[in-house]
Amino acid sequence: MNLANRLRAALEAGGRRETILVRSDMRDAVLEPLTGYTPAAVLVAVTDRAEPGVILTQRTETLRKHAGQIAFPGGRIDPGEDAIGAALREAEEEIALPQDRVEIVGPADCYVTVTGFQVTPVIGVVPPDLPLTPSAAEVADWFEAPLDFLLDPANHVDREVDWQGGKRRYYEIMWNDRRIWGATAAMIVNLAARLRHD
């Protein structure tokens, strides 16, 4: 069974289990019904190699929101698009990842950000060592982190910070000198819960 089919089977099996998920930046917020959020999508691009990795980007320091943060390629869903189409388009715009080189596995659990986005992570498998080029306007750099490392719960650190007069909890994953936190880390935590073997 190839990598895409293994991930697809794990995602489907995870969807049949009762899994505790991180649903939003607000952590304990009641999210149903979801209204007033802007639909967005990100591409979780898994490299098809003996030890698969995940492609992540580092945003430029000049962006108005989330400057310098590590993220999956992605952005808002345009009118007429679905989550898969938006994730593929954004990955091509941000890092020149050709859409026809992505084998779609499927969408994972939505995540709601404190900035008002309802984000659908779309898992896809890509060939290793593609010649990716960051878009200078949005992406300072891109890198590949090991999938096994990202999905290992031992690497998911639950943090708390004082924020707007209260406490805000978030996840942080440190890989080498890269700090993955906030919504990106939370979506990785959710993927770990869905893909975990029984």
Side-chain angles (χ1 to χ4, degrees):
M1 188 183 301
N2 68 20
L3 177 60
N5 286 335
R6 293 199 312 270
L7 288 170
R8 197 171 289 115
L11 189 62
E12 289 172 3
R16 292 192 295 270
R17 293 195 308 267
E18 283 211 24
T19 304
I20 297 173
L21 298 172
V22 185
R23 299 304 304 272
S24 85
D25 285 351
M26 290 72 83
R27 293 294 287 274
D28 298 321
V30 176
L31 298 176
E32 300 297 340
L34 288 173
T35 57
Y37 295 100
T38 301
V42 297
L43 182 66
V44 183
V46 181
T47 54
D48 192 0
R49 57 173 92 242
E51 294 184 9
V54 175
I55 294 172
L56 292 159
T57 67
Q58 181 143 10
R59 295 165 65 84
T60 61
E61 296 290 346
T62 56
L63 291 172
R64 282 185 308 131
K65 293 183 179 178
H66 312 295
Q69 290 186 12
I70 289 171
F72 296 113
R76 71 179 64 228
I77 298 174
D78 286 343
E81 278 186 321
D82 60 10
I84 292 171
L88 291 173
R89 175 184 53 76
E90 288 282 349
E92 188 165 46
E93 290 175 2
E94 290 183 16
I95 55 174
L97 175 57
Q99 296 186 33
D100 63 358
R101 303 305 304 273
V102 183
E103 182 177 354
I104 295 297
V105 171
D109 299 282
C110 288
Y111 184 82
V112 173
T113 70
V114 72
T115 51
F117 289 91
Q118 181 185 348
V119 184
T120 301
V122 176
I123 304 172
V125 173
V126 300
D129 306 316
L130 288 172
L132 304 177
T133 305
S135 167
E138 295 182 76
V139 179
D141 192 16
W142 69 271
F143 63 97
E144 183 178 335
L147 177 66
D148 283 348
F149 182 92
L150 294 179
L151 296 185
D152 186 347
N155 299 319
H156 304 164
V157 180
D158 198 340
R159 300 280 191 203
E160 188 174 76
V161 67
D162 292 322
W163 186 67
Q164 295 185 350
K167 297 288 185 185
R168 180 177 171 193
R169 294 172 59 209
Y170 63 93
Y171 281 100
E172 179 182 80
I173 302 168
M174 292 297 301
W175 181 72
N176 292 344
D177 60 345
R178 308 279 191 170
R179 179 179 182 241
I180 305 163
W181 69 285
T184 302
M187 285 185 272
I188 291 170
V189 168
N190 283 346
L191 280 175
R194 283 292 186 219
L195 299 177
R196 191 169 301 142
H197 296 293
D198 289 321

